[in-house]
mmCIF file of all heavy atoms in Angstrom:
data_model
loop_
_atom_site.group_PDB
_atom_site.id
_atom_site.type_symbol
_atom_site.label_atom_id
_atom_site.label_comp_id
_atom_site.label_asym_id
_atom_site.label_seq_id
_atom_site.Cartn_x
_atom_site.Cartn_y
_atom_site.Cartn_z
ATOM 1 N N ASN A 62 -165.757 -4.168 -46.874
ATOM 2 C CA ASN A 62 -166.645 -3.156 -46.297
ATOM 3 C C ASN A 62 -166.132 -1.772 -46.660
ATOM 4 O O ASN A 62 -165.156 -1.292 -46.084
ATOM 5 C CB ASN A 62 -166.709 -3.317 -44.782
ATOM 6 C CG ASN A 62 -167.714 -2.369 -44.145
ATOM 7 O OD1 ASN A 62 -168.413 -1.636 -44.838
ATOM 8 N ND2 ASN A 62 -167.783 -2.382 -42.823
ATOM 9 N N LEU A 64 -167.276 1.004 -45.969
ATOM 10 C CA LEU A 64 -167.519 1.973 -44.899
ATOM 11 C C LEU A 64 -166.661 1.705 -43.668
ATOM 12 O O LEU A 64 -166.865 2.341 -42.623
ATOM 13 C CB LEU A 64 -169.003 1.959 -44.494
ATOM 14 C CG LEU A 64 -170.015 2.257 -45.623
ATOM 15 C CD1 LEU A 64 -171.431 2.174 -45.091
ATOM 16 C CD2 LEU A 64 -169.734 3.626 -46.237
ATOM 17 N N TYR A 65 -165.719 0.770 -43.780
ATOM 18 C CA TYR A 65 -164.941 0.400 -42.606
ATOM 19 C C TYR A 65 -164.093 1.572 -42.119
ATOM 20 O O TYR A 65 -163.402 2.242 -42.893
ATOM 21 C CB TYR A 65 -164.036 -0.789 -42.920
ATOM 22 C CG TYR A 65 -163.059 -1.096 -41.814
ATOM 23 C CD1 TYR A 65 -163.499 -1.634 -40.612
ATOM 24 C CD2 TYR A 65 -161.692 -0.838 -41.979
ATOM 25 C CE1 TYR A 65 -162.603 -1.911 -39.583
ATOM 26 C CE2 TYR A 65 -160.793 -1.120 -40.971
ATOM 27 C CZ TYR A 65 -161.254 -1.651 -39.775
ATOM 28 O OH TYR A 65 -160.367 -1.925 -38.767
ATOM 29 N N ASP A 66 -164.144 1.807 -40.810
ATOM 30 C CA ASP A 66 -163.364 2.856 -40.161
ATOM 31 C C ASP A 66 -162.763 2.265 -38.890
ATOM 32 O O ASP A 66 -163.499 1.845 -37.992
ATOM 33 C CB ASP A 66 -164.254 4.046 -39.816
ATOM 34 C CG ASP A 66 -163.469 5.209 -39.227
ATOM 35 O OD1 ASP A 66 -162.246 5.061 -39.027
ATOM 36 O OD2 ASP A 66 -164.076 6.266 -38.953
ATOM 37 N N PRO A 67 -161.436 2.189 -38.792
ATOM 38 C CA PRO A 67 -160.821 1.592 -37.597
ATOM 39 C C PRO A 67 -161.240 2.265 -36.298
ATOM 40 O O PRO A 67 -161.193 1.655 -35.232
ATOM 41 C CB PRO A 67 -159.317 1.760 -37.848
ATOM 42 C CG PRO A 67 -159.184 1.909 -39.324
ATOM 43 C CD PRO A 67 -160.423 2.608 -39.776
ATOM 44 N N GLY A 68 -161.670 3.527 -36.385
ATOM 45 C CA GLY A 68 -162.058 4.235 -35.183
ATOM 46 C C GLY A 68 -163.472 3.944 -34.715
ATOM 47 O O GLY A 68 -163.848 4.352 -33.618
ATOM 48 N N VAL A 69 -164.247 3.231 -35.545
ATOM 49 C CA VAL A 69 -165.628 2.907 -35.185
ATOM 50 C C VAL A 69 -165.664 1.455 -34.716
ATOM 51 O O VAL A 69 -165.332 0.542 -35.465
ATOM 52 C CB VAL A 69 -166.581 3.105 -36.374
ATOM 53 C CG1 VAL A 69 -168.018 2.775 -35.973
ATOM 54 C CG2 VAL A 69 -166.492 4.543 -36.878
ATOM 55 N N SER A 70 -166.066 1.226 -33.482
ATOM 56 C CA SER A 70 -165.967 -0.093 -32.876
ATOM 57 C C SER A 70 -166.941 -1.102 -33.472
ATOM 58 O O SER A 70 -166.667 -2.296 -33.475
ATOM 59 C CB SER A 70 -166.212 -0.003 -31.362
ATOM 60 O OG SER A 70 -167.499 0.547 -31.100
ATOM 61 N N ASP A 71 -168.077 -0.641 -33.971
ATOM 62 C CA ASP A 71 -169.068 -1.595 -34.468
ATOM 63 C C ASP A 71 -168.953 -1.851 -35.965
ATOM 64 O O ASP A 71 -169.818 -2.489 -36.545
ATOM 65 C CB ASP A 71 -170.482 -1.108 -34.133
ATOM 66 C CG ASP A 71 -170.797 0.241 -34.778
ATOM 67 O OD1 ASP A 71 -169.846 0.903 -35.228
ATOM 68 O OD2 ASP A 71 -171.983 0.617 -34.815
ATOM 69 N N GLN A 72 -167.903 -1.334 -36.606
ATOM 70 C CA GLN A 72 -167.707 -1.557 -38.031
ATOM 71 C C GLN A 72 -166.866 -2.811 -38.247
ATOM 72 O O GLN A 72 -165.836 -2.995 -37.603
ATOM 73 C CB GLN A 72 -167.020 -0.348 -38.683
ATOM 74 C CG GLN A 72 -167.938 0.837 -38.908
ATOM 75 C CD GLN A 72 -168.953 0.574 -40.005
ATOM 76 O OE1 GLN A 72 -168.726 -0.245 -40.888
ATOM 77 N NE2 GLN A 72 -170.084 1.256 -39.939
ATOM 78 N N ILE A 73 -167.305 -3.678 -39.152
ATOM 79 C CA ILE A 73 -166.589 -4.916 -39.426
ATOM 80 C C ILE A 73 -165.550 -4.685 -40.527
ATOM 81 O O ILE A 73 -165.775 -3.912 -41.467
ATOM 82 C CB ILE A 73 -167.579 -6.026 -39.848
ATOM 83 C CG1 ILE A 73 -166.852 -7.372 -39.928
ATOM 84 C CG2 ILE A 73 -168.254 -5.701 -41.169
ATOM 85 C CD1 ILE A 73 -167.803 -8.541 -40.152
ATOM 86 N N GLN A 74 -164.411 -5.320 -40.371
ATOM 87 C CA GLN A 74 -163.350 -5.254 -41.377
ATOM 88 C C GLN A 74 -163.506 -6.415 -42.343
ATOM 89 O O GLN A 74 -163.513 -7.572 -41.929
ATOM 90 C CB GLN A 74 -161.975 -5.313 -40.698
ATOM 91 C CG GLN A 74 -160.812 -5.074 -41.654
ATOM 92 C CD GLN A 74 -159.485 -5.147 -40.932
ATOM 93 O OE1 GLN A 74 -159.404 -5.664 -39.826
ATOM 94 N NE2 GLN A 74 -158.439 -4.615 -41.550
ATOM 95 N N ARG A 258 -166.142 -10.076 -34.239
ATOM 96 C CA ARG A 258 -166.574 -9.584 -35.551
ATOM 97 C C ARG A 258 -165.909 -10.338 -36.694
ATOM 98 O O ARG A 258 -166.299 -10.188 -37.856
ATOM 99 C CB ARG A 258 -166.255 -8.090 -35.670
ATOM 100 C CG ARG A 258 -167.005 -7.202 -34.690
ATOM 101 C CD ARG A 258 -166.517 -5.774 -34.776
ATOM 102 N NE ARG A 258 -165.097 -5.672 -34.466
ATOM 103 C CZ ARG A 258 -164.380 -4.549 -34.611
ATOM 104 N NH1 ARG A 258 -164.959 -3.457 -35.059
ATOM 105 N NH2 ARG A 258 -163.102 -4.533 -34.313
#
Side-chain angles (χ1 to χ4, degrees):
N62 185 4
L64 302 178
Y65 172 71
D66 184 356
V69 181
S70 59
D71 61 345
Q72 284 289 335
I73 189 172
Q74 187 180 17
R258 296 174 300 172

